[in-house]
Amino acid sequence: MNRDVVAVTRTGDYTLRLRFRDGAEGEMDFAQFLSFKGVFAPLKDPAEFAKVVVNTEIGTICWPNGADLCPDVLYSRITGAPLPGQH
């Protein structure tokens, strides 16, 4: 899918720069986006958050503890494009 994440770069404690398959890219502050509860609780530690990688099988970012985020939501947040099925 064009909305798959293909690259991630950490630019701050909770800030990531994402690039998508269609070439769109941008930066996002995850401290404003994540609740840091449940599976995301360990990511409150910047050292754990820094372990983010791109999982090419599912086309999104993920962490070693199994946390991941929907690429469509990330794409929408960065580009302003509506989520699939929304107008």
Side-chain angles (χ1 to χ4, degrees):
M1 295 260 317
N2 285 336
R3 293 178 177 213
D4 284 359
V5 178
V6 295
V8 61
T9 306
R10 185 169 169 243
T11 57
D13 281 348
Y14 303 107
T15 308
L16 301 176
R17 182 161 195 78
L18 303 175
R19 189 172 29 140
F20 297 88
R21 186 165 312 284
D22 70 354
E25 61 182 278
E27 202 166 274
M28 188 170 159
D29 181 358
F30 285 80
Q32 306 299 317
F33 178 68
L34 292 177
S35 65
F36 296 109
K37 295 179 182 172
V39 73
F40 297 104
L43 305 183
K44 185 131 178 100
D45 177 352
E48 288 301 309
F49 187 84
K51 295 177 182 176
V52 65
V53 295
V54 173
N55 180 325
T56 56
E57 282 187 31
I58 59 173
T60 195
I61 56 174
C62 63
W63 288 267
N65 73 335
D68 64 38
L69 294 163
C70 174
D72 289 332
V73 171
L74 297 172
Y75 189 90
S76 177
R77 289 273 180 155
I78 285 181
T79 66
L83 288 167
Q86 293 184 337
H87 301 286

